[in-house]
Amino acid sequence: MVQRRYPGKPDLKLLPNKNRIKIALKKHRIKLSIEDISILGEDVDIEVKKAAGKDGKGAFPKSALESYSAMANTYGGHIFLGIEEKSEKFIPFGIKAIERVKKEIWDALNNRERISANLLSDDNVTVFDVDGCKIIEILIPRAARKQRPVFVGKNPLSGTFRRQHEGDYKCSENVVKQMLAEQIEETRDARILPHFDMQDISSETLSIYRTAFKNTKPNHPWNDEPDQNFLRLIGAWGRNRQTGEQGLTLAGLLMFGTLRSILDELPNYIVDYQERSEPKAELRWVDRITTDGSWSGNIYDFYRLIIRKLTAELKVPFILEGDRRKDDTPVHEALREALINTLIHADYSSRISILIVKRPDMFGFRNPGTLRMPVKQAITGGDSDCRNRNLQKMFQLVGLGEQAGSGLPKIYINWKNQQWRLPKLYERIEPDQTLLELRMVSLFPEQVIDLLDNLFKEKFRKLPEVERLILATVVIEGEVTHARLNEITDVHPSDLSKAFSKLAKQKYLETGGTGRGTYYFLSGNKPRADVAVFQSPLHFEQLHPGGSDSSGISSGISSGISSGISSGIKKIRADISDVELKQFEKIAADIRSRKRVDRAVIENIILQFCKNRFFLLKNMAELLGRKPDSLRRHYLKEMVKSGKLELRYPGRSTHPEQAYRTFDKSLKREE
């Protein structure tokens, strides 16, 4: 590992997270450089604003409040005032009236007419010297659940923003209402459901649960209670003391209800288990359990069915506890915790499904709804903010699930003890979801090393360890980000950025996305745009035991390495008919060779392209004779923001296969 030493300062054991540069800068008075800001931008959200003001001496721009709202409602971030962005490069401009601008910042943040909450303290606003220019940095924390939504103006429904890689986007009313519900309700599953009673319960499921409860707590007084009172005691039945109304709680319906009854309350409810025989890119499964009416459909039965399938082929060592064999291992424990965490943290009002995937190389867990705390805080453990506390309690009463705040740390510890790659926990927004990937491969799997060795010959072995780790991670996971490497290595972020830059310059890697959304992939092997959740990229299928040889991927990468990033005219894909293509070429012919065209004309043509279909950005750029990034920044970004267009991949605006279509108000359920 490369240890970074700063001249004249004590040796720093910098933490492997996004605050390392900040710690070094603030505690050791090191000057901030444009390079540092660029490095920071690969790990966290940043926004730079020239902020010159009318007199050129500086001002707090109105647009900064939208960025403040967006960052607070997403992952937090940094706003730099006094830096201009030109051609994707940062240029220091400087703030001359420092004190005046700082006062404008605090006046705005403390004015409830302009912004709903001030999340900052004095330490969050800092002045740095960058190449002789004074720059103001505003460090914005992620707002706590009870502080969201942070919104501009007086109306949360019209003034709430979130961050999506390259910009700030106004949230839909549904998203804002979800935030408001999360803010108010400590637990989402305690709500009493009018007109739902014991007839909505699966008597078989309840009987099985009560047997498990009795086996776990044989002398517990609740064992003698009648069913309805037992349900009340465990949180599955409730009574409103003010109105006298009583009935099943949402937790009771989810845990023990029949599928028809659950769907009456939650029409988008889906739980889905898919077992795939190979880590292929095609969406094929050999075993599937979902809400198809062939079983009860409730959460407890789903857990019982799926945990057996997840652990079916695990090798269990012969261990005795007293005179009984112990059939549990750390891997069993980790999978059990991952499955229960998925079920108790899910937002069951969402339109996407709970999804569990089992493959020979990995296990994947997805629940609707983002985490109620930052990812790193959840991994560290100790704090708990469970979305469905009654469900959590019900599992714990039958001996399932760790104590509050310790489930995820136990998963990470158990997986690390197997010498496997660190689990990958991440979030996606719109639709909001949390994903956990547990890969059963090491940092340097033998097959991957052999493939890279055969591909790059002695060049690979001569690479520094961090660069070999990057290439191995790209092969295994399909793509990699600066943040992901930060999780699995303690190399300084500056050195990581240099390693990524070197590998890209030498044509080992190509890049996609921008800023915090920047990702890297092997040259000539761009990840497939239509790869679903928990599916490896196409080339990984050759790396798994029993798969085909690696000649296909080798030739693909070799071609990418030899030629670098492909150039030349891109061919329009076959998702457009010849007739339509000729029409589009005719429409765009007049402006292809013209640099200056009225904005309304280009927007009108874009709307024609995207009418009733998702139209690929790269196809659009080719037809219009514009660069994709320029077209996205100057036209499409604003058209999405204003509601004229919608994204195929709303969580990744710089997705390599991003496409746009005219906005459709009818939301389809994503399964």
Side-chain angles (χ1 to χ4, degrees), residues 428-439:
R428 291 181 179 175
I429 61 173
E430 294 193 17
D432 292 359
Q433 53 195 289
T434 303
L435 304 105
L436 175 65
E437 298 179 7
L438 303 178
R439 296 180 183 272

Side-chain angles (χ1 to χ4, degrees), residues 205-254:
T205 305
L206 179 57
S207 176
I208 293 170
Y209 180 88
R210 295 205 64 169
T211 299
F213 182 90
K214 188 172 184 178
N215 291 337
T216 306
K217 305 175 186 300
N219 299 317
H220 202 286
W222 294 356
N223 286 320
D224 298 326
E225 295 288 342
D227 284 347
Q228 184 170 316
N229 201 41
F230 177 80
L231 291 175
R232 183 185 66 82
L233 292 168
I234 66 172
W237 186 275
R239 180 169 68 88
N240 187 316
R241 294 183 180 276
Q242 293 181 331
T243 65
E245 185 178 48
Q246 59 179 320
L248 284 175
T249 62
L250 181 59
L253 180 66
L254 286 166

Side-chain angles (χ1 to χ4, degrees), residues 20 91 94 103 108 130 176 186 214 237 261 358 398 417 464 492 553 654:
R20 282 176 292 190
I91 301 172
K103 184 177 185 302
V130 178
V176 178
E186 288 294 329
K214 188 172 184 178
W237 186 275
S261 297
K358 178 182 179 180
V398 290
N417 288 342
H492 190 280
I553 176 63
T654 56

Side-chain angles (χ1 to χ4, degrees), residues 274 276 280-284 366 428 479 519 526-539 573 575 614 616 618 648-649 652 655-659 670-671:
Q274 298 177 16
R276 302 171 188 166
K280 293 196 175 197
E282 291 85 1
L283 184 58
R284 296 174 181 171
R366 177 184 76 180
R428 291 181 179 175
E479 62 183 60
Y519 61 95
K526 180 177 287 189
R528 285 178 44 168
D530 56 349
V531 171
V533 174
F534 305 134
Q535 286 189 263
S536 289
L538 183 62
H539 63 255
R573 281 179 45 168
D575 52 0
F614 276 116
L616 288 167
K618 58 187 180 183
R648 173 183 279 171
Y649 302 102
R652 290 182 60 179
H655 195 289
E657 296 294 316
Q658 186 60 270
E670 179 184 328
E671 299 185 5

Side-chain angles (χ1 to χ4, degrees), residues 315-376:
K315 295 180 180 179
V316 180
F318 187 81
I319 300 175
L320 292 178
E321 282 190 352
D323 60 351
R324 299 183 63 183
R325 176 173 175 169
K326 180 182 178 183
D327 289 334
D328 208 16
T329 70
V331 178
H332 285 81
E333 185 178 46
L335 293 174
R336 185 166 58 244
E337 289 301 323
L339 179 54
I340 291 173
N341 264 346
T342 301
L343 298 176
I344 66 176
H345 288 287
D347 181 354
Y348 289 97
S349 64
S350 174
R351 62 187 178 91
I352 67 169
S353 66
I354 286 176
L355 177 63
I356 315 296
V357 169
K358 178 182 179 180
R359 289 198 329 229
D361 63 312
M362 71 163 287
F363 299 93
F365 302 83
R366 177 184 76 180
N367 66 262
T370 56
L371 290 163
R372 284 185 153 194
M373 63 180 65
V375 169
K376 289 180 180 177

Side-chain angles (χ1 to χ4, degrees), residues 38-107:
S38 298
I39 291 168
L40 201 63
E42 293 184 8
D43 199 24
V44 299
D45 277 324
I46 67 170
E47 183 78 21
V48 299
K49 297 183 182 294
K50 187 176 181 180
K54 293 181 179 179
D55 60 3
K57 294 182 178 180
F60 183 58
K62 294 180 180 179
S63 62
L65 287 180
E66 292 184 1
S67 296
Y68 172 89
S69 164
M71 290 177 175
N73 289 324
T74 317
Y75 307 112
H78 303 248
I79 298 176
F80 293 94
L81 304 181
I83 296 178
E84 187 176 11
E85 184 176 5
K86 284 186 177 180
S87 302
E88 299 185 2
K89 292 184 178 180
F90 296 152
I91 301 172
F93 179 81
I95 301 292
K96 296 179 176 63
I98 291 291
E99 294 305 317
R100 183 182 73 187
V101 176
K102 287 174 69 175
K103 184 177 185 302
E104 290 177 2
I105 293 171
W106 293 115
D107 286 348

